[in-house]
Amino acid sequence: MRQAPELAENTASGYYLQTSFAPRYEWKTSDNRFMARISAPLHQYYLNYRTASGKLQTDKNYFYADPDLYFSYRVNSAVKLNLNGGLNHALGDILDVLEQPVQLSYRTRQLRAGILTKNRKEYAALQVEYKRPLEFWFAHAGIQYTYHTHNTLSSQWVEPDYIIHSQVASPNSSQTVSSQFSITKQFQPIRTKLTVGGNYTWRKTRSFSRTSGHLIMDKPTPSAAA
């Protein structure tokens, strides 16, 4: 049976090979007050993707290091500090090289950008824990920072018969700073627990078009709960 031309144009084949090496080192003091853990996974990817038309293809090696650091320090019997940070990379798959929409489900289609998707994430977080079990006091506070970079921009639109998820080749990035806290007190005589907490988030995004760049900065969005 002869395949329709439009289907042949949207056919891809290929393979990928992945090699990973993940060294890890952990150290702690004899009294367990301080602990450090360092891991540095190393990844090698070989991607060989091509379309039936031969217009788009990927035949390349990629090397990434994704370090992760974690430190914990107990200040005293009640207070403990946790600090961690690291870096992550992610690559797309064979569907990235297709030029026409792909049917994902009965009513969902996806249109990729025609280039291999590459994502990078940097992150850091600091957390403080406070515990007084005998006095029934518990508290937690933390702040996190993340920075994402992507080489494609995602969007979605709805048609009468389909929901279409699309990607375009447009470098973009986002920064997020978030913080939260909670304080809990248990009143054993009346079997009651009271918790007060809140959170705050700030986010900024930036994207570029082929002709010019534009900056979009979201307003900080604080929120609190008790």
Side-chain angles (χ1 to χ4, degrees):
M1 181 176 180
R2 186 175 180 181
Q3 191 176 28
E6 63 271 17
L7 295 180
E9 289 292 328
N10 207 39
T11 301
S13 62
Y15 60 93
Y16 83 95
L17 301 174
Q18 176 182 347
T19 304
S20 298
F21 175 67
R24 173 174 169 173
Y25 177 77
E26 183 173 315
W27 178 84
K28 63 178 63 178
T29 58
S30 57
D31 58 1
N32 290 328
R33 291 191 64 181
F34 178 79
M35 191 270 284
R37 183 175 64 241
I38 302 174
S39 60
L42 306 175
H43 306 286
Q44 181 269 334
Y45 302 91
Y46 173 67
L47 279 64
N48 187 302
Y49 299 150
R50 64 187 69 249
T51 60
S53 64
K55 295 180 181 179
L56 299 172
Q57 60 181 4
T58 298
D59 185 8
K60 189 176 180 181
N61 280 290
Y62 297 89
F63 298 90
Y64 293 115
D66 294 335
D68 181 80
L69 309 176
Y70 175 80
F71 303 95
S72 175
Y73 177 67
R74 184 169 293 280
V75 180
N76 50 46
S77 61
V79 180
K80 182 180 179 182
L81 303 178
N82 298 315
L83 174 66
N84 75 291
L87 179 66
N88 287 128
H89 295 85
L91 292 174
D93 53 34
I94 194 171
L95 295 182
D96 287 341
V97 303
L98 295 178
E99 300 173 279
Q100 302 297 326
V102 177
Q103 192 87 21
L104 298 181
S105 65
Y106 178 70
R107 289 184 50 83
T108 305
R109 288 181 175 180
Q110 187 176 66
L111 177 61
R112 301 289 182 95
I115 63 173
L116 184 66
T117 303
K118 299 177 183 178
N119 301 321
R120 174 188 170 104
K121 175 185 176 182
E122 303 170 21
Y123 59 92
L126 173 65
Q127 296 183 348
V128 181
E129 299 177 5
Y130 178 84
K131 296 180 180 180
R132 289 283 189 182
L134 298 179
E135 301 171 6
F136 302 102
W137 278 104
F138 305 90
H140 176 273
I143 183 170
Q144 298 86 32
Y145 171 80
T146 57
Y147 178 67
H148 292 264
T149 58
H150 313 270
N151 65 339
T152 60
L153 192 62
S154 300
S155 64
Q156 175 181 303
W157 73 88
V158 179
E159 294 188 350
D161 297 326
Y162 295 100
I163 299 174
I164 300 180
H165 303 274
S166 69
Q167 292 179 339
V168 294
S170 176
N172 62 95
S173 63
S174 65
Q175 298 181 68
T176 304
V177 178
S178 60
S179 61
Q180 66 283 327
F181 77 94
S182 65
I183 302 174
T184 299
K185 171 63 175 177
Q186 294 183 358
F187 301 92
Q188 288 297 104
I190 58 175
R191 298 183 180 180
T192 301
K193 181 173 71 173
L194 175 64
T195 300
V196 178
N199 60 77
Y200 180 89
T201 302
W202 176 89
R203 179 180 173 87
K204 181 176 73 173
T205 60
R206 184 181 181 94
S207 61
F208 295 90
S209 64
R210 292 183 178 180
T211 56
S212 62
H214 63 278
L215 175 65
I216 303 173
M217 183 180 295
D218 296 336
K219 294 182 180 180
T221 55
S223 61

